[in-house]
Amino acid sequence: MTFRIDDFLSTIGGRGGLAMPNLYSIELPAIAGSNLTLNEKNITCKAMNLPGRQIATAERYIGPKAEKVPYTFMQDDISLSFNITNDYAIRKYFDLWMNLIVNQTTYEISYKTNYQKDVILRAQQKTESNGMISPYSVRLEGAYPTTMNANEFNNETTNGLVELNVQLSYYNWSPL
């Protein structure tokens, strides 16, 4: 098979162009005590990643020949990065959500039904009318934050922004 530029352009053009990594949106759940709107959570989200999945296999021998046989799947946590506004609203949001998991006053661990929430992640595409559509979206089922990185402050950074990195664990994900 030979490569032809016309075939390449036709394929890419026929599928709406190439996907851009800077076009995405997130839909985080409402958490009691937080006044952040869906749009505010979206605007401050600096980066996200869509989940992947790996099929775990074990070797099975039939005579001298080994064959890989799937037995389960594995999935990594999702990372989100946010720019923090001067009122630290997004950090307060995740403080509240994490407090639903482990109460920071009583140190009690809650039931998962109290803190697991669905999260929607969308890859987006511009339309000809300058609108946005979501050609690919996933639902993280039973998601909750497991890591919120510390924020470093120092006298040497004068023009930097404060960022928040959060890791979400989840039960499963499925395309929408």
Side-chain angles (χ1 to χ4, degrees):
M1 180 173 180
T2 59
F3 177 81
R4 292 177 4 116
I5 191 70
D6 291 340
D7 293 340
F8 175 77
L9 294 173
S10 174
T11 299
I12 299 302
R15 301 217 173 256
L18 294 173
M20 304 299 290
N22 65 333
L23 300 176
Y24 60 91
S25 67
I26 61 169
E27 189 175 318
L28 293 170
I31 300 294
S34 174
N35 62 356
L36 271 176
T37 67
L38 178 61
N39 195 42
E40 289 171 324
K41 294 174 209 168
N42 236 329
I43 288 172
T44 58
C45 185
K46 178 183 169 188
M48 69 156 204
N49 59 313
L50 290 174
R53 188 169 280 148
Q54 179 181 356
I55 304 296
T57 60
E59 287 191 352
R60 178 180 75 163
Y61 286 90
I62 300 176
K65 176 127 173 70
E67 176 182 33
K68 287 188 176 188
V69 178
Y71 64 90
T72 191
F73 65 89
M74 297 178 288
Q75 50 201 22
D76 291 329
D77 290 346
I78 294 299
S79 296
L80 302 171
S81 294
F82 297 88
N83 288 316
I84 296 180
T85 55
N86 275 330
D87 63 356
Y88 285 75
I90 196 69
R91 178 150 181 128
K92 292 174 185 176
Y93 169 84
F94 283 105
D95 284 340
L96 289 167
W97 195 355
M98 292 183 96
N99 196 58
L100 291 176
I101 303 167
V102 178
N103 185 301
Q104 297 302 304
T105 305
T106 64
Y107 303 111
E108 292 178 9
I109 298 173
S110 184
Y111 293 107
K112 65 182 181 179
T113 55
N114 294 335
Y115 61 81
Q116 286 186 335
K117 314 280 184 187
D118 286 357
V119 172
I120 309 289
L121 306 173
R122 291 184 178 91
Q124 296 198 311
Q125 170 188 355
K126 287 183 183 179
T127 63
E128 292 180 13
S129 61
N130 288 331
M132 298 292 265
I133 60 169
S134 298
Y136 188 78
S137 301
V138 298
R139 176 186 312 278
L140 301 180
E141 301 165 11
Y144 57 97
T146 52
T147 303
M148 180 171 58
N149 289 353
N151 294 113
E152 180 182 344
F153 291 83
N154 61 58
N155 289 328
E156 296 175 10
T157 306
T158 57
N159 292 325
L161 299 174
V162 179
E163 296 178 9
L164 178 66
N165 296 308
V166 177
Q167 194 168 339
L168 298 181
S169 293
Y170 51 94
Y171 174 72
N172 197 13
W173 67 269
S174 58
L176 295 178

